[in-house]
Amino acid sequence: MLRFDIITIFPEFFRGVFDFGIVRRARAGGLVETAAHDLRTWTHDRHKVVDDRPFGGGDGMVLKPEPVFEAVESLAGAGDAQSLREAGKRVVLLSPQGRVLTQELAAEFAAVEHVVVICGRYEGVDERVAERLATDEVSIGDYVLSGGEPAAVVLVDAVTRLLPGALGSETSAVNESFSAGLLDFPNYTRPVEFRGARVPEVLLSGHHAEVARWRRRAALAKTRRNRPDLFAHLPLDDEERATSTGQEEEGNF
Ligand code: ADE
């Protein structure tokens, strides 16, 4: 069982968001548990203040360290990053300054028992949270969100579907995009012809080896076109590299 505790100033944001599809089923099946906690719970003043002005000046407000530390310590127990990791726990600060979330990092989180997620807000979070409290500072991509909440939903989804038993078939997750640094091959279903666009003939042939070869080539061509960064790192033989020229006609590889 993996437990996610999400620390946020918008706990209502998470109401219902984990009630769909694979995450819902994983929760119902006892594979994962999610809880959202209001950061203001760990303030001690009448106005439940969680932010303050930045030292050095500048616009915007910064999340104060005290409530964040208290929240994490009450949810995960006290301890430095190393002892938390040794206890099978991760404390993830979501921010655009983090390491970018990958399938590999998602798999690391799927292997622990407890992930505490801190949603950043405003112009930032006091850096001592990243330095002294979080085991990981994670970004979901090179763009800026208004806060970490949507990123927390992304993290929970990407991690939960990697838990053993979360997907219908145990093998589904390993065959997908990114597991081998390659995008997924294109899929088609009926009708064979839709608005003049036909399903590639080879997929209708019933010839399993031909279908497999087409899928491999189509995945390579698509990766080359949409993700040259991934393509450059694929361990391809010369023939595969040469045949993924990006000049392929639609459906013909
Ligand atoms: N908060 C704001 N932008 C973010 C991002 N790209 N990833 C994670 N948390 C964020």
Side-chain angles (χ1 to χ4, degrees), residues 93-98 118-121 138-152:
L93 171 62
L94 291 170
S95 96
Q97 283 73 48
I118 304 162
C119 299
R121 266 281 144 185
V138 174
S139 164
I140 62 159
D142 289 339
Y143 39 80
V144 180
L145 303 168
S146 316
E149 285 78 8

Side-chain angles (χ1 to χ4, degrees), residues 162-179:
L162 292 177
L163 297 173
L167 301 182
S169 127
E170 293 282 333
T171 55
S172 310
V174 275
N175 290 329
E176 286 173 342
S177 298
F178 298 112
S179 291

Side-chain angles (χ1 to χ4, degrees), residues 31-32 41 44 71 80 117 193 199 202 206 228-229 235:
L31 303 179
V32 69
T41 305
H44 303 288
D80 59 10
V117 181
E193 184 168 335
V199 173
V202 58
D229 56 322

